[in-house]
């Protein structure tokens, strides 16, 4: 009985694997096509200064613009695929090129904002990443002081000494560094003292039920206080309701991001939002 059940589960597993592999190959070739056609585009989600209610910056988020009315794959799907296949380089270059043009256009219009850019594990692990990103931004005429790099804990833990060197190099050039999705990874609090972060982004997991769940409230409150004690700016991700905004503001959270304020939008739409 045991052998048979194991055999069955093996067969099932291998079928799943094949399906996954086929799906990956399919997605990979579609992603390559989309990149060639310029269909991976930066969208911008406002970051709101909770004291003034004004847009103080935006997070740059990759969107796959589909032409045929089909459902666009989400970055939660295509970013990992691009990492596994090496397409992340082309994707990142396309994102920075387009975002750079938008940023320069806003700069020329006198818009003063911060631009937060996500960098994933494989990008950051590559020793050329920092110099390439720095060079690309400089070539486009973007002031590094307006750019914040968002990193997650897992990105940093791979090689702590090397990560620290890279962060120091980026900071020496003027870039700011944010720790993204804080509270969901495995990193110890010790890393908050090890790396010179500017900003800490409280993961949506602690915001979603902050009203209903006393424990989420306590964790959000503690993270905000801890971050402030360490002189970090705190951003809360995933604010969807006015109640959540109010509670986070009362806890002293500096910046809010979420559907309550705006979803990620196309650049022309952001220009309208800023004007309004
Ligand atoms: P992230 O960096 O944590 O980005 C925040 C995610 O939360 C975004 O998902 C955003 O659309 C979503 N979000 C914002 N406000 C709300 C809200 O009120 N409710 C809910 N339910 N969600 C909200 P998105 O755009 O799907 O991106 C997913 C992840 O993919 C990002 O998480 C980031 O890790 C990665 N990613 C996106 N664009 C890029 C990129 O250009 N490069 C790299 N390396 N990674 C990217
Ligand atoms: Mg992010
Ligand atoms: Mg995040
Ligand atoms: Mg996230």
């Amino acid at each position: 009985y045991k052998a048979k059940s194991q055999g069955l589960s093996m067969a099932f597993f291998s079928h799943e694997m094949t399906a996954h592999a086929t799906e990956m190959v399919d997605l990979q070739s579609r992603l390559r096509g989309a990149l060639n056609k310029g269909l991976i585009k930066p969208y911008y989600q406002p970051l709101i200064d909770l004291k003034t209610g004004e847009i103080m910056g935006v997070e740059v988020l990759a969107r796959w613009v589909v032409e045929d009315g089909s459902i666009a794959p989400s970055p939660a799907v295509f970013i990992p695929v691009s990492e596994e296949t090496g397409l992340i380089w082309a994707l990142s270059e396309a994102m920075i090129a387009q975002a750079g043009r938008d940023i320069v256009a806003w700069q020329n219009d006198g818009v003063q904002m911060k631009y937060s850019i996500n960098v994933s594990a494989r990008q950051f692990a590559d020793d050329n990443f920092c110099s390439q990103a720095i060079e690309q931004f400089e070539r486009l005429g973007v002031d590094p002081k307006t750019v914040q790099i968002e990193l997650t804990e897992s990105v940093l833990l791979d090689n702590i000494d090397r990560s620290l060197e890279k962060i120091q190099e980026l900071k020496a050039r003027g870039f700011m560094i944010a720790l993204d999705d804080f509270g969901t990874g495995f990193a110890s609090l010790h890393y908050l003292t090890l790396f010179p972060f500017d900003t800490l982004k409280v993961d949506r997991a602690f915001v979603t039920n902050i009203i209903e769940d006393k424990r989420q409230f306590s964790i959000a409150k503690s993270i905000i206080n801890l971050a402030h004690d360490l002189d970090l700016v705190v951003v809360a991700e995933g604010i969807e309701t006015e109640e959540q905004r109010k509670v986070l503001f009362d806890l002293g959270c500096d910046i809010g991001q979420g559907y309550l304020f705006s979803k990620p939008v196309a650049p022309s739409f952001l220009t309208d939002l800023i004007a309004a």
Side-chain angles (χ1 to χ4, degrees):
Y1 169 78
K2 203 177 169 194
K4 194 176 173 194
S5 74
Q6 274 177 356
L8 270 175
S9 67
M10 284 262 299
F12 178 69
F13 185 60
S14 117
H15 169 75
E16 289 279 283
M17 293 280 285
T18 313
H20 176 71
T22 312
E23 218 173 280
M24 283 284 292
V25 170
D26 179 51
L27 200 58
Q28 176 188 355
S29 67
R30 282 170 58 211
L31 179 58
R32 183 171 283 121
L35 277 165
N36 287 338
K37 287 194 211 153
L39 296 178
I40 305 296
K41 294 183 184 295
Y43 269 46
Y44 300 90
Q45 186 175 34
L47 300 166
I48 306 297
D49 180 332
L50 291 179
K51 288 205 181 70
T52 63
E54 278 168 16
I55 300 176
M56 54 70 62
V58 284
E59 178 170 3
V60 185
L61 292 159
R63 287 293 176 270
W64 185 331
V65 179
V66 288
E67 295 167 307
D68 58 1
S70 63
I71 294 172
S74 126
V77 174
F78 69 78
I79 295 290
V81 169
S82 75
E83 285 232 298
E84 281 178 54
T85 58
L87 286 171
I88 188 71
W89 302 111
L91 188 147
S92 159
E93 199 170 321
M95 286 288 291
I96 295 181
Q98 296 175 84
R101 277 197 292 276
D102 293 334
I103 292 170
V104 168
W106 285 317
Q107 274 176 10
N108 292 341
D109 280 350
V111 174
Q112 288 191 358
M113 281 199 302
K114 300 277 191 264
Y115 303 91
S116 236
I117 308 237
N118 292 285
V119 171
S120 44
R122 188 154 168 200
Q123 283 175 279
F124 198 72
D126 189 286
D127 282 339
N128 293 321
F129 161 74
C130 288
S131 50
Q132 270 173 14
I134 290 167
E135 191 198 303
Q136 204 184 350
F137 277 118
E138 278 176 357
R139 203 167 353 103
L140 292 160
V142 174
D143 179 0
K145 290 197 179 60
T146 64
V147 178
Q148 176 152 265
I149 309 279
E150 295 195 3
L151 304 169
T152 56
E153 293 167 346
S154 58
V155 170
L156 303 169
L157 297 188
D158 211 30
N159 184 340
I160 291 168
D161 295 340
R162 201 57 200 103
S163 295
L164 183 57
E165 281 172 27
K166 288 175 186 176
I167 287 181
Q168 281 163 344
E169 183 186 349
L170 287 165
K171 289 206 53 150
R173 293 301 186 112
F175 292 96
M176 292 168 290
I177 309 290
L179 182 56
D180 202 356
D181 302 344
F182 183 72
T184 56
F186 296 102
S188 106
L189 292 175
H190 178 54
Y191 297 113
L192 285 181
T193 65
L194 220 52
F195 297 107
F197 300 117
D198 299 283
T199 304
L200 198 149
K201 298 190 77 173
V202 182
D203 195 82
R204 184 154 58 89
F206 306 111
V207 173
T208 304
N209 292 313
I210 195 170
I211 305 292
E212 300 84 355
D213 188 340
K214 181 80 184 52
R215 292 164 300 181
Q216 285 194 7
F217 172 85
S218 301
I219 291 173
K221 179 179 163 187
S222 304
I223 295 176
I224 291 166
N225 290 336
L226 174 67
H228 282 160
D229 283 347
L230 296 171
D231 287 327
L232 303 172
V233 171
V234 190
V235 181
E237 302 185 309
I239 302 180
E240 295 187 355
T241 70
E242 170 54 27
E243 290 78 9
Q244 292 166 348
R245 184 204 62 79
K246 170 110 187 15
V247 164
L248 286 157
F249 173 72
D250 289 343
L251 289 177
C253 183
D254 307 292
I255 295 165
Q257 175 179 6
Y259 297 167
L260 172 68
F261 310 110
S262 170
K263 291 201 167 181
V265 295
S268 60
F269 204 95
L270 185 77
T271 306
D272 295 345
L273 275 183
I274 298 164

